[in-house]
Amino acid sequence: MNGINQLNHESLARARSEIFQADGIAVLTGAGISAESGVPTFRGPGGLWNNYRAEELATPEAFRRDPRLVWEWYQWRRNLMAEKKPNPGHLALAELEERTPDFTLITQNVDGLHALAGSRNILELHGSIWRTRCVSCGGKAAGREPWPELPPRCPTCRGLVRPDVVWFGEALNEALLGRAFAAASACRVMLVVGTSALVQPAATVAWLAQKAGAVLIEVNVEPTPLSARAQFSLMGPSGRILPLLIEK
Ligand code: BV8
Ligand code: ZN
């Protein structure tokens, strides 16, 4: 997909002016925005889930059944992500935040690349692969170095330590989700980047925004359930499209 040539320049220009005029912008990102940083997506070719099924590993049952296997998968992902850098798509969103009075970045990603790119008002709906939580005492820790032993043990109570992410079947943090829904309901433009819009309740954020009257702009390399409803569905890699979209 060479992106720009197939892209309708007219709609890119109109989407750009919507963004330029908006004093409130909310963004929802998914694994696709990190694809050009070399982080595999979940459902695309070579996706993370291809070798495993999500239900096998990203669930509390899987962790109860075999904490070591689940940790081996997360350790593999942490090692894979450790040296990955933000790409021009992440950087474009950080720049857009600088010049937008009211800006909220809602991400389903756990890779931490938005923060590395300089974004500040970030809601990590599904947690972070760089944080852990003790299942016994709740103690949290953050770090990027590989664990010496799997599954890791809590330094305080020797309890089992888990990745501080939201697994399938687990509730999202109420307060965080509330802030995401509030930002979606208040924004003028909702920019949805690199998500298959399949996972709930995260995907609801986009529908909420549009219901509240926001302009929905989607950036993806393939159509999603949102594409038909978006005012602008810009087909192309986000690392190429986003810098063009935020150009003054
Ligand atoms: C909940 C963290 C209730 C962990 C993740 C049926 C059965 C079982 C469950 C359900 C079901 N129906 C609904 C559910 C609920 C379930 C769900 O939505 N399932 C889906 C799959 C149907 N949701 C949940 O379980 C949620 N919890 O509902 O709890 C509850 C309530 C109260 C009390 C108790 C319980 C929890 C969901 C969170 C799961 N955790 N991740 C980890 O990462 O290890 S989800 C996982 O998927 C990631 O977070 C990921 O971000 C997320 C969404 O995927 P995407 O980001 O969209 O990635 P994907 O690969 O799918 O798509 C990539 C896109 O990018 C593609 O469109 C591609 O075209 C595009 N792309 C690729 N390259 C580029 C690009 N775009 C632009 N540029 C490029 N270069
Ligand atoms: Zn503990």
Side-chain angles (χ1 to χ4, degrees):
M1 185 79 177
N2 57 13
I4 316 305
N5 305 347
Q6 262 106 26
L7 193 66
N8 174 338
H9 284 270
E10 210 273 307
S11 62
L12 179 67
R14 285 193 7 252
R16 187 185 298 127
S17 77
E18 289 290 352
I19 286 193
F20 194 64
Q21 293 161 41
D23 50 4
I25 298 179
V27 185
L28 173 67
T29 63
I33 196 167
S34 298
E36 289 153 275
S37 296
V39 179
T41 63
F42 284 81
R43 294 165 188 85
L48 282 169
W49 302 130
N50 290 1
N51 332 351
Y52 309 97
R53 284 166 15 82
E55 290 67 21
E56 276 163 22
L57 293 172
T59 67
E61 294 73 31
F63 189 69
R64 246 193 308 283
R65 198 175 47 245
D66 189 345
R68 187 182 168 76
L69 172 72
V70 173
W71 257 112
E72 277 167 5
W73 185 53
Y74 277 91
Q75 183 91 307
W76 174 75
R77 288 172 65 194
R78 283 162 64 108
N79 295 343
L80 178 96
M81 290 184 192
E83 75 282 356
K84 299 297 186 245
K85 300 268 176 289
N87 66 61
H90 296 105
L91 297 168
L93 292 183
E95 191 188 322
L96 183 59
E97 178 174 15
E98 284 308 303
R99 61 172 206 241
T100 307
D102 190 357
F103 187 94
T104 304
L105 174 54
I106 304 157
T107 188
Q108 301 169 88
N109 299 342
V110 296
D111 59 28
L113 288 177
H114 283 304
L116 283 184
S119 289
R120 283 171 298 111
N121 190 18
I122 308 171
L123 303 178
E124 291 183 318
L125 292 187
H126 296 161
S128 167
I129 203 165
W130 305 116
R131 270 200 320 268
T132 55
R133 182 171 90 236
C134 170
V135 297
S136 310
C137 72
K140 293 208 177 189
R144 298 175 77 92
E145 54 293 331
W147 288 91
E149 59 159 336
L150 294 180
R153 288 278 156 193
C154 171
T156 321
C157 74
R158 298 299 300 157
L160 202 48
V161 162
R162 60 167 279 175
D164 193 21
V165 298
V166 180
W167 280 326
F168 287 100
E170 291 188 319
L172 276 65
N173 174 294
E174 279 297 310
L176 219 48
L177 194 58
R179 285 172 57 197
F181 284 176
S185 309
C187 69
R188 293 281 312 117
V189 166
M190 164 54 77
L191 180 54
V192 180
V193 185
T195 180
S196 57
L198 295 175
V199 172
Q200 294 298 351
T204 304
V205 158
W207 299 114
L208 262 183
Q210 191 169 59
K211 234 169 53 221
V215 172
L216 185 57
I217 302 173
E218 181 185 43
V219 176
N220 202 308
V221 293
E222 65 180 16
T224 74
L226 292 174
S227 308
R229 297 281 302 273
Q231 276 89 334
F232 300 95
S233 176
L234 306 174
M235 286 286 135
S238 47
R240 301 271 305 280
I241 306 280
L242 289 176
L244 289 172
L245 201 51
I246 69 152
E247 249 173 21
K248 288 218 173 73

